[in-house]
Amino acid sequence: MGASIQDLKDMHIIDDLDSMDSDKKPHATTTLVDYARESLEQCLKEQVTFVKDGVKNIPKHDFTIYREEDLARGIGNILKCCRNCKYEHFDDCIVNVIRSCYEVALFGEAQYYSGTPFDYLVSITGRNLKDAHLIMKEYRKRKKLLQD
């Protein structure tokens, strides 16, 4: 089972999205962060945890420059919302949509997600993806905060 509406509120995902808006210049098209924010706001409004065609509609031509540390922090935080879905994981889960937006901004494309944060972290670090170490660091930091 995916994240609940309360999880999404408790994890302050919207705060992470807002913090990435350092470049307040007007954009001709929807940015990745705008798309993620709008998708999350729609889910909260409708009290659902999925976005119809969410991954399919991610804007792939956003040339906004985001800070790598912000994106890594966002991915690390969003991974806390994952519930080890494995067999119940689906692409249009809001958690997956937001993480995929971050990945497109950081890596240039969405990464495969099997349904567990552990498998995901092993996969991205094993492929030596640029900034994978930052994501691992942020995830560990957030995990430690939850345990304290």
Side-chain angles (χ1 to χ4, degrees), residues 18-123:
D18 287 342
S19 74
M20 288 184 216
D21 254 355
S22 59
D23 178 9
K24 296 283 187 188
K25 297 176 187 168
H27 299 280
T29 60
T30 301
T31 67
L32 290 159
V33 169
D34 289 340
Y35 179 76
R37 182 186 303 105
E38 290 165 10
S39 297
L40 177 58
E41 288 171 351
Q42 191 65 32
C43 284
L44 294 172
K45 179 180 172 188
E46 295 176 7
Q47 296 291 297
V48 296
T49 59
F50 68 93
V51 179
K52 186 175 185 325
D53 296 326
V55 171
K56 181 177 129 185
N57 292 327
I58 290 175
K60 304 285 194 285
H61 302 291
D62 176 12
F63 299 107
T64 305
I65 297 173
Y66 300 99
R67 290 187 51 219
E68 293 166 347
E69 296 83 7
D70 290 342
L71 294 167
R73 185 184 66 244
I75 293 172
N77 194 31
I78 202 82
L79 286 173
K80 288 187 316 185
C81 291
C82 294
R83 300 272 192 214
N84 290 320
C85 299
K86 283 195 178 189
Y87 304 112
E88 294 179 21
H89 169 74
F90 63 103
D91 283 345
D92 291 333
C93 167
I94 185 60
V95 172
N96 191 64
V97 170
I98 294 170
R99 193 193 65 257
S100 295
C101 287
Y102 289 152
E103 292 167 348
V104 170
L106 187 61
F107 301 124
E109 64 184 1
Q111 303 299 305
Y112 173 73
Y113 187 78
S114 67
T116 72
F118 178 77
D119 289 346
Y120 172 81
L121 292 167
V122 167
S123 174

Side-chain angles (χ1 to χ4, degrees), residues 68 72 105-107 124-125 127-135:
E68 293 166 347
L106 187 61
F107 301 124
I124 65 168
T125 55
R127 288 183 287 142
N128 292 320
L129 290 175
K130 182 179 177 290
D131 299 319
H133 66 285
L134 288 174
I135 295 169

Side-chain angles (χ1 to χ4, degrees), residues 3-18:
S4 71
I5 294 295
Q6 192 59 47
D7 289 337
L8 295 172
K9 291 177 182 176
D10 291 346
M11 294 298 175
H12 305 283
I13 302 304
I14 199 88
D15 297 337
D16 282 342
L17 290 166
D18 287 342

